[in-house]
Structures are given as C-alpha cells and as structure tokens.
Amino acid sequence: MEWKKVAIALLLGSGFLFGKGAELAINPEELEEIIAQNPNDIANRLLLAKYYIQQDQLDKAEEYLQQAKKIDPHNRLIKVLEQQLEKERKRLQAIQQVLQPIREQYGSIDNYITDLFRKGKYKEIIDFYLKYGKYFQINDSSLIKIAKILDWDGKYRKALWVLRKIKDKTSLDYYTIRADVAFNTQDMKTAIKYYRILFSITGDPLFGKRLAQLYIWNGDLERAQKVLLILKRRLGKGKGKTDKELQKLWEEVQRKKREYIERIKKIYQQNPSFPNLQRYVYAVADKNLSKGIPIVIEHIKRHPEDGNAKFFLSKLYAWTNQYNKAVKYLRKLKGNTEAELLLAQILSWQGKYPEAERIFKKLAKDSNRTISYQAEKGLGLIYSWSGRKEEAIKIFEKLHKENPKDKEVNVQLILLRGTPKELISYYRSLLKKNPKDGEALLGLGDLYFQLKKYHLAVKYYEKYLMLYPNKLEIYKMLGDAYLQLKNFYKGFSNWEYYAYMKGTKDAYLELAKRYYWYGFNNEALKVLDDLLARYPKFKEARLLKAKILKVNPRFVVASSAATFEQYLGNRSKKLLALGDRAYFNGFYATSAQYYKELLLWNPENYDVREKYAYSLEHIGDYKTAAGEFFLLMWMKKDPKIVYNYAFCLQKSGKLKEAEKVYKELLDQVARPAPQFILQFLEEWKKAFESMDSYQLAKFYSKKLAQNPRWRFKKDQFFQKQVWVALSFYDPVLLGVEEKGDKKIYKVRFWEILATKYIHNRGRYRYLWIECPSNLEENLTTTEGKIEIKDQNRTIATIEYQQVPLFPVEKCKIVKERIKRGKFEKFDQNRSIYHFIQQNLYWLKKKGSSLFPLK
C-alpha cells in the first residue's frame, strides 16, 4: 500500500520512531473522522497513539495500538510505540508513588504546598513543582506562592511563566508580583500600570516609592513629585525622623528639575526668542505661574518690541487673578485681536458689561472665525448674566448649530431654557466617561446648590476641591452649603480657610456677616475687631459691628438692622419651639395649629410637615393626615411614612387603597431573615474566617470579586492578620427588590470582628444578596410522619420536617456596606412588618382582600 509507505517515511523523517523533535501538533478529532471512514487506516491510528502517549493519556494510546495490531500484527512501529507506552506507564507509576502518599497525608497537593510554604521550605516547593508540576492541577493560591518564591529568587521569567497560568488575576498578590517582575525586567510601561493601581488602592509607601522611581526614570518629574508629596503627607504624621529613601527620591527629583531649568535657561540666554521664553517660564513656574512674571517683565525691558511677550505677561496676570494689571497691559496691545478678546473676557468677568459688549461686537465681525466665534460666545454670556435671556438664547442656538460639541454652549442653552434636570443628566454623563471631570463636578455642585439640595452640593464641591484644592472661591460655596445644612463647624471652617487664604478685608467681612446671620454674634465681633485693628476706616465693618451691638443677640425684630428674611427665620424658630413643646407633651391639637402656621412661612420644611401629619393622626383627622403623609412620601423615602399613609387611608374608610399600599410595602420593611439567608451567611462567615480571598470571592458577584479595589482591601487586611474570628447577631431582612428573574435581599446584621491585633465593639454590616426568584419556592420545608409498626400494629408515630439543602453558589453578594453605630435589638412584635400583617389580617376579615395574603 503506497499510502502506508508514505506515512512511515513521514514518521521516520519527523523523528516519530525515537521520540525526537517537538510534540506532535495534530487535530485528534479530524484524525478520528478519517479513521472512521477508513477502517484499515494504520498510519493515522499510530499517529493518534503517539499523540496520546505524549499527552499522558495512556489508555487511549493503548486502544489505538490494539486496533492497529489487529489490522497489521507485524508492523514494527507498533512494537516501538508499545515500548514507549510501557516506559511512560512505569514513569507515571513512579510519579504516582511519589504523589499518592502526599495526597493521603495532606488531602491535596495544594495543602502540601501550603504546609511547605508555612514552614519556609521554599526550595522544596520549587523543586517539587518543576519536577512534577505538569502531572497535577493546583489552584491559583498555590500558583501565587510558587510565583512569589521565584520572584524572591530573582527568577523573573519563570515567575512570569507561572503567573500566566493563574485564572483569577484580581488578587493583591498577583498585582504585586506582576509589578515587581516588570520593575526588575525594566518593563517600565507595565510596571507603572500595576504600581499606579496598587498605590492608589492600598496607599502602601513601598508601592508609592517604586512608582515615583519609575516616573523619575521615565523623566516624568511632575508625576514623581505628586506621588512623593502624597507620601510625605502620609509618612510625616506622628514620625520624628524623615524616611531616608523618600528624602533621597525627593532630592533626586529636585536635582533633575534644577538641571532641566538650567538647561532651558541656557537655551533661552543663547537665543532669547519668545518660544524659548515660554519654555523657560513654564519650567521655573511649575504650577505657581506668578513665579514666571518677573522673568517676563525682565525680558520686556530688554526687548520692548516683543509684542508676544507683552501678551504673554497679560495672560499670566489673568491666570493668577491679577485682572487689573492684565487689563492695563491689554489696553496697550492695540491691533492684537487675541489681546482684545482676552480684555473683553476679563471686563465681562468684572461685571463691566457695556465696554465688554462693545469690544465683543467689534470682534464678532473679525475675518478669523476662531476669534469671531469666541466673541459671539462672550456676547451670549454677557446677555445671560445681565438677564437678556432671549438675546442670549438666539446667539447660543446659532453657535450650537455651528459646533454641537461645544460644552459651554450646551450648558448655557440648558440653563437658559430652564431645564436643570437635563443639565444634571448631561453632567452625569460626563462623569461616567471621566469621574474626574472638573467642569461636571463643579456644575453639579452649583446646580444642586441652586435647587437647595445642599447635601448633594456638598458632595460634588468636595470632590471638585480634591482635584483642584487651589480654587478658593469654591470654599465659599462649600461653606454656605454646610451652613444651610446647619453643620456650622464645617461651614465656618471652610469660610475661615477661604478668608485666611484670600487675605483681603472683603473676605473677612463676608466671614463676619455669616457669623452674624447664623446667630454667632461673639464670633462675628472677634472677626470685626481684628479687621478694624488693621483697617480702622473700613466703613462696612464698622456698620456691621454697630448693627450687632444694637440688636439683641437672641431675638432679631423687623425694626432692627436685621433683614426681613432674618425676622422670618426667628419667627419660625418661635413657632417651632412652641409646636414642639406641645407635641412632645401630648397636646397634639395645639401642636397641629403651630405646625400649620409654620408651614405657611416655610412649606418646604419636611421635618415640620412630618410632625404635623402625626399630630393630625393623633387627633383623628385621618383624611388630612393621609394627604400630608402622601406629600411626604415624595420627599422622604421612609417605610414608616408609607405605613402611616396606608393606616390613615384605612382609618378614613379607603380600605382597598390601604390594602394595596400595605401589599407593596410588605417587601420593603424589616423582618427576621429567612432560613436560607442565615445558611448563606454561615457559609460566608466560614470563608471570611479562612482568610482566603479566593474562597471569599466566590460569595460575591463578578463585578465585585473582579474589582481590584475590593479584592486588594480584603487581601491587605488578611495579610496583616494571624487569625480572624467573625461573629454576627440579629440578622434582619430590610427589603426585597425584584430584578428580572432575580431577587435582591437587603440584609443587615450586627458583627463583631476579632483578630490577634484587633477586637472591635461591633458594627452593622449591610449586604445586598442576589438570588434566583424561584429559590424560596424550591426551599419550602416539607413535613411528614413515619409510623413504626410491629406485626402490623402501629406502636409509634414520629413527625419530621425535611429542610432542603441551600445551594449557596446560586446567590451572590452584589453590594456591601459597613456602618458604625449602637446595637439595637430588632423587636419583631413592634416592627412595621408585624403591624402590616395585623392590618392585612383585619382587612381580610372585613372581606376587602384584593390580593392573596403572603
């Protein structure tokens, strides 16, 4: 047979007979199909046998050899392969003789590696893995230990080879080893990527120093300095001596910066052109642009004809908020359209609208479309700020057609058209793309401040200031937002900081006014005394001091120097005090009268509206109370308010409406956690106490478990502990939310954590656990009886309950939160859930049930 000769020749030529060369690269499925079509095909059977010997699948290899032997018993290749098969079988048996006792003693190879690692027998682990590693499967935790040892030994390539076998690449150990390998193999890009993530999440100084060193090597001195400043703040707290390594890195950055400045300076001195001047100024100034101003002034003295330098100086004045000096220079630069544009912009910022408008109108006719576009935008802003709404809209609509991607134009159109919700959505879409978008953060802060949602304004102002801590004007807004929330400590702290950093008499006067407006007259007088000591002729400060001294600090009346708004505020305080006094002493009819009057002054005071609703409920005016609770439901998402709304509906005769609300509320109120949740928590607790983040991650959704921030925090905590004990008490189900074919159970319990170094007094942990919707139905407890008989006579009957085993793997934690607080035992008999059940039972007896009772 010719095909047989060809196959044998190929086998001989490829070293097939004697096992030389690389492993066979074949597709076994294709060969099996060929064999099925050709029952007498020996060559392909021998190829498969050889392939399965190399893959250590000896039973399959023997099967194909036996098939080939039946077709051609005298084929000499069969004997060669049988010898190889026998040799391989003996080798595997020898390996199994080594591995089997280990499995019997330790339970698994992973336990064996863990034991050796704990005892510090690192060389034995590496020798064992390199010799036998391909004959068994080990978990990611063991691979991490092996990669760690190879990294310690400086065998970086081998460590990388082991890391590639790891399936779960989200652990702190994986990132640490990967970063270290990249650092030591000079893979700068990869090392920076991993160390940046490690440092941002853990804050470990070791990662920060490595990252700074990498930035220095890459010549990115600005980022290196930023990292070192963060480290200085963290390591400088409570330490007497400076970190030497940190100091060395800092000196290296400063030395390289000096060298760079000297190099740029020499270039500028040799050729004092404007581009070289700019480079020199930016190198010297760094982030403090005011340092560059003297250099430009000196340059202009030597080169008075350099118009670019003069325009650059005016820009520097504008960028450092020295607007008057900038205007002075810009007025001299006649014929320079860019200078005129900047002049008009500064004048508009200063509120000098007529002059700015005249310049903008002139520039709007300029042949350079970039200049004319910016001039038209400036006109639109002036019209918007001065209340000329229709003219502003007309300009911005025109600009929007020309450039739909202009953020500033889009924002102004939304503001002018009076749709802040659209603007909020727009800013949030920007934050989804870039969580550090300063424009979006500041825009949301301003919008929420205007909408009087001060808690949200605070949130976004603080995020903005974390990115731009030098924006002093925002501290004023943050301070005012805190003051509106009655958080006086933080409110006045921000105002004090603003006044101190600004250092102007007007800033201190604004601070004194806030102290006065919020009733802190002594503090206001202290600020004013200091202000008048420095500026004795400051008229506004003297008037404010006189105003405070004339007005009673506790009661401000309309005839005093106080504003009408302050009068209303004090009137409201009196009404609230009288209403509360009556309410807390049980005089609900009286308290309702005071609260009603107070709501006429301030209808948006929802705390007062809530007490008014309860007062009405107490006096039996259920219909009016239901209306008040209904209004509250839109502003306060509190199950207690919803329950009282339903209760008032029930009492006022609207039974069907009440029952519907009760039914909807049933899954949103606290009740004892069901048995399957308790089983889940027990298994979760065991995984936590194992201190193995790989095991713990199985209880969390992929979104959480594969999030490096979540994983690193867990790994970092476990690595610092010797042992961990976790106890949980009083698990409560706070609500159930339907989400497609899933249900999300919100669970709260009190936990106490103990380690060798920590023993806390307890805290609340909240878990959102996602499970299949039909899980509770499949976990229904079945009851039954077993009869014990003797000679067909029943002698005993045993009742039993069969609880199905809970499938832990079907549920995942999708969100968790820890909250400090004081432990309060959940009383089921006094819970809203208990009262809802009672009311539903009453309604069912009345025959008004619309839905089956749960």
Side-chain angles (χ1 to χ4, degrees):
M1 297 179 183
E2 197 62 33
W3 62 270
K4 189 187 292 184
K5 292 177 182 178
V6 173
I8 291 169
L10 287 170
L11 295 173
L12 287 167
S14 64
F16 177 82
L17 283 173
F18 306 104
K20 295 178 184 177
E23 290 189 357
L24 290 173
I26 64 172
N27 187 332
E29 287 80 11
E30 286 183 10
L31 287 181
E32 285 172 359
E33 286 181 14
I34 293 169
I35 290 168
Q37 294 171 6
N38 301 283
N40 296 323
D41 188 340
I42 294 177
N44 285 321
R45 280 183 168 83
L46 295 179
L47 272 172
L48 279 172
K50 175 65 177 177
Y51 171 77
Y52 284 125
I53 289 171
Q54 288 180 347
Q55 298 299 315
D56 294 327
Q57 298 184 41
L58 304 186
D59 292 338
K60 278 196 171 186
E62 187 171 11
E63 180 187 339
Y64 283 108
L65 283 175
Q66 290 300 326
Q67 290 177 14
K69 206 170 185 179
K70 285 179 182 178
I71 299 167
D72 186 3
H74 304 293
N75 191 309
R76 63 190 182 91
L77 288 177
I78 295 172
K79 290 182 180 180
V80 174
L81 289 173
E82 281 180 337
Q83 289 172 5
Q84 288 183 7
L85 179 65
E86 188 60 30
K87 186 179 178 181
E88 191 66 21
R89 185 170 275 129
K90 286 179 180 178
R91 190 172 68 82
L92 288 178
Q93 285 173 355
I95 290 166
Q96 288 305 317
Q97 286 175 2
V98 174
L99 299 180
Q100 192 58 34
I102 292 172
R103 288 195 178 98
E104 289 174 359
Q105 182 178 350
Y106 293 93
S108 69
I109 301 298
D110 292 303
N111 292 342
Y112 174 62
I113 291 171
T114 302
D115 187 62
L116 290 178
F117 191 84
R118 194 182 296 118
K119 292 174 180 175
K121 297 180 179 180
Y122 305 134
K123 188 175 183 304
E124 289 184 33
I125 292 174
I126 299 302
D127 291 343
F128 175 77
Y129 180 73
L130 293 176
K131 191 172 182 181
Y132 303 113
K134 69 175 185 176
Y135 300 108
F136 54 81
Q137 293 288 328
I138 59 173
N139 63 27
D140 286 351
S141 182
S142 296
L143 288 171
I144 282 287
K145 292 180 178 71
I146 293 161
K148 196 178 285 187
I149 296 165
L150 291 168
D151 182 43
W152 293 341
D153 286 349
K155 297 172 182 175
Y156 304 118
R157 299 295 176 191
K158 285 185 177 178
L160 189 58
W161 170 66
V162 174
L163 286 174
R164 284 175 182 150
K165 296 184 177 184
I166 293 172
K167 294 174 185 175
D168 184 355
K169 294 178 170 61
T170 56
S171 72
L172 178 61
D173 279 328
Y174 176 86
Y175 270 67
T176 304
I177 300 165
R178 187 71 187 86
D180 194 61
V181 168
F183 183 86
N184 286 292
T185 54
Q186 301 297 301
D187 183 358
M188 298 293 179
K189 188 178 178 181
T190 305
I192 287 172
K193 171 190 167 184
Y194 282 100
Y195 277 123
R196 190 167 55 217
I197 295 169
L198 285 165
F199 182 56
S200 67
I201 294 175
T202 67
D204 192 319
L206 173 64
F207 300 141
K209 290 172 189 175
R210 282 281 179 95
L211 182 59
Q213 184 67 75
L214 286 163
Y215 281 140
I216 292 168
W217 287 344
N218 264 14
D220 194 343
L221 301 180
E222 187 178 340
R223 282 198 174 100
Q225 184 169 294
K226 187 177 179 181
V227 172
L228 292 172
L229 284 169
I230 294 169
L231 286 169
K232 266 190 164 186
R233 284 200 298 271
R234 289 180 182 172
L235 297 176
K237 292 179 181 178
K239 292 200 173 185
K241 51 187 180 181
T242 309
D243 187 300
K244 289 181 181 178
E245 189 181 356
L246 181 62
Q247 189 65 31
K248 189 177 176 182
L249 287 168
W250 181 260
E251 288 169 1
E252 189 177 353
V253 169
Q254 299 309 312
R255 178 177 57 78
K256 284 185 175 289
K257 283 180 76 175
R258 286 194 298 270
E259 289 173 0
Y260 174 72
I261 291 169
E262 284 300 317
R263 191 163 64 250
I264 298 300
K265 185 179 179 182
K266 283 180 183 177
I267 293 170
Y268 166 69
Q269 288 172 343
Q270 290 168 5
N271 179 16
S273 64
F274 176 67
N276 288 341
L277 170 68
Q278 264 191 318
R279 286 180 65 200
Y280 180 37
V281 166
Y282 288 137
V284 170
D286 196 10
K287 290 183 178 179
N288 187 358
L289 291 171
S290 58
K291 289 181 181 178
I293 291 173
I295 297 171
V296 183
I297 291 172
E298 188 63 32
H299 175 87
I300 292 170
K301 285 179 182 177
R302 293 176 184 171
H303 307 279
E305 74 290 347
D306 193 340
N308 288 329
K310 291 176 180 177
F311 183 43
F312 184 47
L313 178 60
S314 62
K315 282 183 180 178
L316 290 173
Y317 280 133
W319 293 338
T320 54
N321 298 327
Q322 300 179 61
Y323 295 126
N324 291 333
K325 289 183 179 180
V327 168
K328 181 182 174 184
Y329 262 91
L330 289 166
R331 289 190 189 280
K332 296 176 183 177
L333 298 172
K334 294 178 180 178
N336 185 332
T337 52
E338 287 187 44
E340 287 184 82
L341 180 65
L342 181 58
L343 173 62
Q345 287 171 337
I346 294 172
L347 290 171
S348 67
W349 299 337
Q350 292 180 322
K352 298 174 182 177
Y353 297 143
E355 186 181 357
E357 184 180 352
R358 179 172 50 79
I359 298 170
F360 278 137
K361 281 183 176 178
K362 174 193 165 188
L363 293 174
K365 300 173 184 176
D366 196 271
S367 58
N368 184 334
R369 186 51 188 151
T370 305
I371 296 291
S372 60
Y373 182 89
Q374 292 299 326
E376 287 181 26
K377 191 194 289 187
L379 271 176
L381 290 169
I382 287 176
Y383 294 152
S384 175
W385 296 337
S386 58
R388 296 155 71 179
K389 186 176 176 182
E390 295 304 321
E391 293 173 86
I393 290 174
K394 188 176 178 181
I395 288 175
F396 286 127
E397 281 179 345
K398 177 192 170 187
L399 296 177
H400 176 71
K401 286 179 183 177
E402 185 177 338
N403 183 11
K405 293 184 179 179
D406 190 324
K407 289 182 182 178
E408 194 173 10
V409 170
N410 292 335
V411 168
Q412 287 301 320
L413 276 174
I414 294 169
L415 280 172
L416 288 164
R417 286 168 176 163
T419 54
K421 286 184 179 179
E422 288 180 26
L423 190 54
I424 288 170
S425 300
Y426 170 70
Y427 282 140
R428 283 183 173 168
S429 68
L430 293 181
L431 288 178
K432 280 184 180 179
K433 296 175 186 174
N434 177 18
K436 294 184 178 180
D437 189 316
E439 180 193 344
L441 291 170
L442 183 57
L444 282 170
D446 289 342
L447 269 170
Y448 283 124
F449 191 93
Q450 291 168 21
L451 295 169
K452 297 185 179 181
K453 296 183 178 181
Y454 300 112
H455 62 291
L456 289 171
V458 162
K459 174 185 172 182
Y460 288 105
Y461 282 145
E462 287 189 334
K463 284 186 176 182
Y464 179 81
L465 286 171
M466 285 178 71
L467 297 173
Y468 306 100
N470 296 325
K471 299 287 185 181
L472 288 178
E473 299 303 316
I474 309 306
Y475 288 96
K476 288 169 41 178
M477 302 302 295
L478 180 60
D480 282 338
Y482 271 125
L483 290 174
Q484 290 288 346
L485 293 169
K486 302 297 186 286
N487 189 334
F488 298 120
Y489 177 77
K490 285 189 176 180
F492 289 125
S493 293
N494 280 289
W495 263 99
E496 290 274 6
Y497 178 78
Y498 166 77
Y500 173 77
M501 294 301 291
K502 195 77 173 176
T504 63
K505 60 181 182 180
D506 290 326
Y508 278 105
L509 179 64
E510 289 295 315
L511 172 63
K513 284 180 179 178
R514 262 112 188 129
Y515 275 129
Y516 168 59
W517 292 341
Y518 286 93
F520 294 84
N521 292 324
N522 289 334
E523 286 75 8
L525 288 169
K526 286 177 185 177
V527 175
L528 290 169
D529 286 341
D530 291 340
L531 195 54
L532 289 169
R534 284 186 287 168
Y535 306 100
K537 295 183 180 180
F538 191 11
K539 185 180 177 181
E540 288 83 355
R542 293 174 68 184
L543 285 172
L544 182 60
K545 184 176 180 181
K547 196 181 289 186
I548 294 169
L549 292 173
K550 287 177 183 177
V551 177
N552 188 308
R554 293 183 62 195
F555 300 101
V556 180
V557 295
S559 60
S560 74
T563 64
F564 183 64
E565 186 180 358
Q566 288 173 309
Y567 167 73
L568 293 182
N570 282 280
R571 173 67 176 160
S572 297
K573 286 178 185 177
K574 285 182 180 180
L575 290 170
L576 181 61
L578 293 168
D580 285 350
R581 188 174 181 185
Y583 181 85
F584 291 113
N585 282 283
F587 300 107
Y588 299 114
T590 305
S591 67
Q593 290 175 5
Y594 282 116
Y595 291 145
K596 185 176 181 180
E597 186 181 350
L598 184 55
L599 287 169
L600 291 173
W601 295 101
N602 186 4
E604 293 183 1
N605 191 330
Y606 294 103
D607 292 330
V608 170
R609 191 171 294 281
E610 185 175 353
K611 285 185 275 190
Y612 176 52
Y614 284 125
S615 298
L616 292 170
E617 184 181 329
H618 279 298
I619 62 176
D621 188 354
Y622 296 113
K623 190 174 181 179
T624 310
E628 294 298 327
F629 281 122
F630 181 76
L631 291 174
L632 282 166
M633 282 165 57
W634 294 99
M635 302 307 298
K636 284 192 168 188
K637 293 183 179 179
D638 186 347
K640 189 179 177 184
I641 288 170
V642 181
Y643 169 77
N644 280 278
Y645 168 63
F647 180 75
C648 289
L649 287 175
Q650 178 185 329
K651 286 290 187 179
S652 58
K654 296 183 178 180
L655 303 184
K656 290 184 179 180
E657 292 91 332
E659 185 176 27
K660 185 177 179 181
V661 177
Y662 283 140
K663 292 285 186 180
E664 291 171 352
L665 185 60
L666 203 58
D667 278 343
Q668 300 171 26
V669 294
R671 56 190 181 277
Q675 188 62 36
F676 74 92
I677 292 290
L678 297 179
Q679 290 179 39
F680 179 86
L681 293 177
E682 285 291 347
E683 296 301 318
W684 169 83
K685 172 181 175 291
K686 289 175 187 175
F688 191 93
E689 290 178 337
S690 72
M691 297 198 301
D692 186 343
S693 63
Y694 289 96
Q695 294 298 320
L696 187 62
K698 293 176 183 177
F699 289 82
Y700 290 81
S701 65
K702 283 185 179 179
K703 187 177 178 181
L704 271 181
Q706 293 179 4
N707 183 332
R709 184 172 293 277
W710 178 88
R711 189 64 171 272
F712 289 6
K713 292 292 182 185
K714 294 286 188 288
D715 284 342
Q716 200 175 24
F717 173 74
F718 290 143
Q719 286 174 9
K720 293 177 181 178
Q721 311 308 325
V722 179
W723 53 267
V724 172
L726 183 73
S727 304
F728 67 86
Y729 306 93
D730 201 28
V732 176
L733 183 64
L734 298 179
V736 183
E737 181 187 346
E738 294 277 355
K739 194 176 180 183
D741 61 344
K742 302 277 187 182
K743 279 186 178 180
I744 297 176
Y745 300 86
K746 184 182 178 182
V747 182
R748 183 198 69 193
F749 55 85
W750 182 258
E751 71 170 25
I752 296 176
L753 180 69
T755 73
K756 185 177 180 180
Y757 311 106
I758 303 170
H759 185 78
N760 65 24
R761 294 182 178 179
R763 58 194 181 179
Y764 276 111
R765 186 183 289 267
Y766 294 79
L767 297 177
W768 283 257
I769 305 169
E770 186 180 77
C771 298
S773 294
N774 60 355
L775 184 66
E776 290 182 74
E777 298 169 12
N778 299 334
L779 291 173
T780 306
T781 303
T782 56
E783 297 180 353
K785 295 180 180 181
I786 298 175
E787 292 183 343
I788 301 174
K789 296 184 178 181
D790 183 24
Q791 296 179 355
N792 295 326
R793 185 170 59 89
T794 302
I795 58 173
T797 302
I798 300 172
E799 293 183 355
Y800 70 90
Q801 286 186 337
Q802 186 176 355
V803 181
L805 189 64
F806 171 62
V808 172
E809 69 282 353
K810 289 196 174 182
C811 292
K812 300 291 178 186
I813 298 168
V814 295
K815 184 179 173 183
E816 69 177 341
R817 184 182 298 158
I818 290 172
K819 189 177 179 181
R820 303 284 175 184
K822 187 179 178 183
F823 176 65
E824 293 181 9
K825 178 75 176 169
F826 176 72
D827 187 350
Q828 184 180 351
N829 294 327
R830 295 180 62 82
S831 66
I832 295 176
Y833 184 78
H834 174 73
F835 293 127
I836 291 174
Q837 291 282 27
Q838 281 190 328
N839 289 335
L840 283 171
Y841 180 73
W842 182 86
L843 288 168
K844 188 179 180 182
K845 284 179 71 176
K846 284 283 181 182
S848 64
S849 182
L850 298 172
F851 312 99
L853 189 63
K854 290 186 180 178

